[in-house]
Amino acid sequence: MITKTAFTGAAALAYLAAAAPAPAPVPDVPGYTGADAPYITTPQPAASVLASVFGPDSQVAATLTAPTTEPTRRSSVVTGATSHGPYSGTPTTTGAEQAPGTVAPSVPALPPNPTATYYNANGELTEPEPAPYVPAGGLGTNGTEPRYMVNSDFDFESIQLGLYQEWIELDLFNNGLATFSEEDFLAAGLTAEDRAVIAFMANQETGHATLLSNMLGEAAAPQCTYNYPYTTVREFVDFNQKLTRWGESGVWGFINHLDSREVGQLLAQSIATEARQQMTFRQMLGLHPYPVWFETGIPQSWAWTYLAPYISSCPENTTRLAWQNFPALHVVNQPNPNRFSPNDTADYEVVGNRTGDPSDSRIPSEESCVNLNVTGYGCGPAIARNRSEPLSFPGKQVRLTWDAPGQAVGPNNSYVTASEAGEPTFVAWVSQLNLTYTPLTVTGDKEGFTYQPASVVYEGDPAANDTMFIALTDCDLYLTPFNLSMINPHVKALGLYQAG
């Protein structure tokens, strides 16, 4: 949901300044005063003389320099053909990786950690400093040499999941460039420079995959083959903005639970790039680049549930994952970002039946916003766009269907969807810092509806926005971002919602 923005009065005059210079500066932030500064008070005229000769450059002091070492990447840039499509074989192993002697069916709820008692009322140091300018506390700050390797089963399975994500991104970005022509991209408003940034993002993934492989060791998973849902450039971009959303959010969900702080450090430095990728794909789709104040963290089993259906097969003896695959939750009236009027989206206006499938871009041109050069309604590539008609809004009825457990998904159809939850009674909306529940009205066999909540994170920040996560649950268990994974035993099905 992108809030409609209306410019009236003084604000409207400020936006018309290029056409008719205002006689005096007009504040564009209501209630903000005292901002006097020696700025130019009238718009600068357009330059009358533009550069027309582009060289030679000025000569500066320089010397020929090359890196003394160049660590190898695990995967080079793709130069040959790769295979894609659904898996047609018979799995030799089924189910998630499991250890013998699982302790309990779920993690029990406990009170706060008894050591979590620190409170500072006056801002003064409470303990002696171990060194000058070094406050007491912190982990990994005692001078020990960092070890950039996973340090527990939890670490291993989390980073392995991240590696599966990096591999598909590497292939996916290259696949779109190889599948669609220059003319296809131009028809979607994307130029050679836009294609170049996608190619650069693919190069980034070779580094990410190498980093995570090095932190795992010899059991690191290799690249697999994939089965993609898109048929147009717009659908390719839409799928990318969804896949990078759960990829980023999946890491935010586990990074601060890792036993190895060193691994978490490097992972944070790579996921910061993932966030920029997701923003870029949203801009290419003509969506607001970041319509939230906080990014969302989700459990590993959620990220694996979204990702697994797009992995067709993996080489023999590829390391398996321990995370759960939940049944799919489908939004019948999923808002279509290709429409200038999202309320006119038809039922199941997506290109397939998998949770992360993109919206159908092949709608009648008179209903499309792609090449519509009208402020508030156009959705071609842009740095930022506001929609006069939002994709969704609080109070909107959201109709849902969901799959039964027991379906084969993932590499070689060797994973099976499962749920330990009872009959669903709530829809959980996970976005930003909030977990919000709304009642589910069941209308038939694995179908029902709810209404989009009006919850806010803070005043002025609606919680339900962006590409966000929804789940059917059997209760409204109170949880917060740091312990959200405790919701898993109560999840009946899992989906995505395009709220903005």
Side-chain angles (χ1 to χ4, degrees):
M1 178 192 71
I2 303 248
T3 303
K4 178 178 179 180
T5 303
F7 296 105
T8 58
L13 292 177
Y15 273 75
L16 294 173
V26 180
D28 198 31
V29 183
Y32 190 84
T33 59
D36 295 339
Y39 302 143
I40 296 173
T41 57
T42 56
Q44 288 184 290
S48 58
V49 179
L50 300 176
S52 59
V53 178
F54 304 99
D57 294 336
S58 300
Q59 299 300 303
V60 297
T63 184
L64 183 62
T65 305
T68 56
T69 60
E70 193 168 3
T72 58
R73 292 177 291 179
R74 185 176 181 196
S75 174
S76 62
V77 178
V78 174
T79 56
T82 54
S83 60
H84 298 85
Y87 178 72
S88 58
T90 302
T92 57
T93 305
T94 57
E97 175 70 14
Q98 291 187 344
T102 301
V103 176
S106 63
V107 177
L110 300 173
N113 190 321
T115 63
T117 59
Y118 177 84
Y119 183 77
N120 192 326
N122 57 19
E124 297 178 359
L125 299 180
T126 62
E127 299 288 341
E129 294 179 276
Y133 310 107
V134 181
L139 298 177
T141 61
N142 62 353
T144 54
E145 180 181 351
R147 177 182 181 269
Y148 294 102
M149 292 288 290
V150 293
N151 210 32
S152 64
D153 286 348
F154 182 92
D155 287 8
F156 183 92
E157 294 294 332
S158 300
I159 300 302
Q160 190 79 279
L161 169 64
L163 180 57
Y164 272 90
Q165 178 78 22
E166 305 295 1
W167 281 135
I168 195 175
E169 289 170 356
L170 169 58
D171 182 81
L172 172 62
F173 300 163
N174 281 313
N175 181 257
L177 295 172
T179 299
F180 300 110
S181 68
E182 178 181 353
E183 291 73 21
D184 292 331
F185 276 95
L186 286 173
L190 298 170
T191 67
E193 291 180 295
D194 299 308
R195 298 197 307 276
V197 79
I198 296 174
F200 184 78
M201 287 191 278
N203 261 340
Q204 290 174 323
E205 298 309 329
T206 68
H208 296 173
T210 300
L211 173 71
L212 270 59
S213 295
N214 291 343
M215 294 191 296
L216 288 166
E218 61 269 19
Q223 191 162 18
C224 299
T225 60
Y226 306 99
N227 184 20
Y228 298 131
Y230 48 79
T231 60
T232 68
V233 169
R234 288 281 297 187
E235 292 164 6
F236 164 68
V237 173
D238 191 5
F239 181 59
N240 276 314
Q241 71 90 11
K242 289 178 178 177
L243 181 131
T244 51
R245 160 53 56 231
W246 75 62
E248 178 192 347
S249 291
V251 170
W252 295 139
F254 73 70
I255 192 168
N256 284 311
H257 294 289
L258 292 170
D259 289 287
S260 172
R261 292 301 178 102
E262 299 95 325
V263 167
Q265 173 71 42
L266 299 188
L267 187 60
Q269 292 178 236
S270 67
I271 210 62
T273 298
E274 186 100 350
R276 289 163 170 80
Q277 293 175 348
Q278 207 268 341
M279 182 190 81
T280 298
F281 284 120
R282 287 182 62 87
Q283 290 174 314
M284 289 180 176
L285 198 65
L287 295 172
H288 191 291
Y290 36 81
V292 290
W293 296 6
F294 306 92
E295 299 301 340
T296 310
I298 58 173
Q300 294 96 321
S301 289
W302 290 35
W304 182 229
T305 295
Y306 298 127
L307 172 60
Y310 300 100
I311 305 177
S312 177
S313 62
C314 291
E316 189 176 0
N317 298 323
T318 295
T319 303
R320 299 183 62 75
L321 288 176
W323 308 114
Q324 185 172 359
N325 297 91
F326 291 103
L329 173 62
H330 309 282
V331 179
V332 175
N333 55 336
Q334 181 80 263
N336 188 342
N338 298 294
R339 288 186 171 274
F340 71 80
S341 178
N343 283 347
D344 293 326
T345 301
D347 289 354
Y348 298 109
E349 200 167 88
V350 291
V351 299
N353 197 38
R354 289 173 286 182
T355 303
D357 283 355
S359 293
D360 190 349
S361 70
R362 296 163 298 174
I363 57 177
S365 59
E366 64 270 19
E367 300 173 13
S368 171
C369 59
V370 177
N371 296 306
L372 191 63
N373 190 24
V374 179
T375 300
Y377 293 95
C379 66
I383 293 173
R385 288 195 183 274
N386 280 343
R387 284 180 172 263
S388 295
E389 183 179 318
L391 287 186
S392 75
F393 51 88
K396 176 181 177 179
Q397 186 184 80
V398 179
R399 291 179 286 123
L400 307 165
T401 64
W402 54 96
D403 294 347
Q407 297 192 22
V409 295
N412 310 86
N413 282 341
S414 62
Y415 292 82
V416 181
T417 61
S419 171
E420 295 78 41
E423 290 303 310
T425 53
F426 292 94
V427 177
W429 303 73
V430 179
S431 180
Q432 304 194 64
L433 308 180
N434 286 28
L435 168 59
T436 305
Y437 294 94
T438 55
L440 172 69
T441 300
V442 177
T443 57
D445 181 27
K446 296 187 286 298
E447 64 178 39
F449 68 86
T450 191
Y451 295 95
Q452 181 176 320
S455 58
V456 298
V457 181
Y458 295 113
E459 181 182 4
D461 179 24
N465 216 340
D466 204 357
T467 306
M468 59 175 297
F469 309 96
I470 57 174
L472 298 185
T473 64
D474 60 9
C475 67
D476 55 349
L477 184 67
Y478 175 77
L479 297 168
T480 57
F482 197 67
N483 66 347
L484 181 61
S485 62
M486 293 182 66
I487 199 175
N488 286 350
H490 303 282
V491 171
K492 191 70 174 179
L494 193 61
L496 286 175
Y497 187 67
Q498 192 63 56

